[in-house]
Amino acid sequence: MGNVFGGGDKSLYLSNSGTEVFIDLLMLAVSDLADDVWDYRFAALLTLQDQNVMGRGAVGFDLQDIAWGTTPRGRARSKDFVLRATTLALSRHRWSELGYDPPFARDHLYQFKAMVESFAPADDIHLVGDFPGPDERAMASCSQHQILSALPYWEGCFLCTKPRQS
């Protein structure tokens, strides 16, 4: 079982392990770039992809379900944030914190970046997805790892809650 991330006519199907790495790398980048309410809402969406909390094979999202903004300028700014975060993740930003080298992560990030680049965000008026609202944004940051998390709802960031390998 795996997870699907969609956008327009493109999709990215990832195994459970691939999903974990993909989201973790995006969270490292998003945590360091976020500076606007929308950015923290996107971070909250990423925290909801934590399979250790939500369940294996039970995550994923479609770009059309994201509230990109109500104006063309807002939508462009939001899309630019996702592209900047993905580009930062592609630069191997903070990858050393994972404790291993993810062999397929760059390919998954490139596929996601291409999907976002080709996606044309629509007005939020007809939005039906579960994009976190302004009051649900990920504002808490793990003090140990400086990664945005769903605190106080969860115990810590994805590095804090990662199951320990024996």
Side-chain angles (χ1 to χ4, degrees), residues 104-145:
F104 306 110
R106 289 181 62 83
D107 184 49
H108 297 155
L109 288 165
Y110 275 121
Q111 289 178 55
F112 182 70
K113 183 178 179 186
M115 186 169 48
V116 174
E117 285 173 336
S118 67
F119 182 76
D123 193 308
D124 294 352
I125 293 173
H126 303 292
L127 187 68
V128 295
D130 293 324
F131 190 67
D135 293 339
E136 301 167 310
R137 63 190 188 271
M139 289 294 297
S141 181
C142 165
S143 61
Q144 181 179 358
H145 301 108

Side-chain angles (χ1 to χ4, degrees), residues 144-163:
Q144 181 179 358
H145 301 108
Q146 288 76 49
I147 298 172
L148 293 170
S149 69
L151 292 169
Y153 304 109
W154 297 346
E155 303 275 325
C157 73
F158 72 85
L159 290 176
C160 292
T161 60
K162 188 174 289 292

Side-chain angles (χ1 to χ4, degrees), residues 21-35 39 42 46 79-98 102 105-106 109-110 112-113 117 146-148:
V21 172
F22 171 71
I23 295 298
D24 290 354
L25 294 175
L26 279 178
M27 277 305 300
L28 290 167
V30 165
S31 293
D32 286 352
L33 291 178
D35 69 354
D39 306 347
F42 184 74
L46 294 180
K79 181 176 175 176
D80 180 64
F81 174 78
V82 175
L83 290 172
R84 285 187 301 117
T86 306
T87 299
L88 184 59
L90 278 163
S91 75
R92 301 180 61 87
H93 177 74
R94 298 178 67 181
W95 284 27
S96 62
E97 294 178 46
L98 295 178
R106 289 181 62 83
L109 288 165
Y110 275 121
F112 182 70
K113 183 178 179 186
E117 285 173 336
Q146 288 76 49
I147 298 172
L148 293 170

Side-chain angles (χ1 to χ4, degrees), residues 5 8 14 17 19 28 67 75 113 117 125 132 166:
F5 299 87
L14 298 175
S17 297
T19 298
L28 290 167
R75 290 189 292 276
K113 183 178 179 186
E117 285 173 336
I125 293 173
S166 301

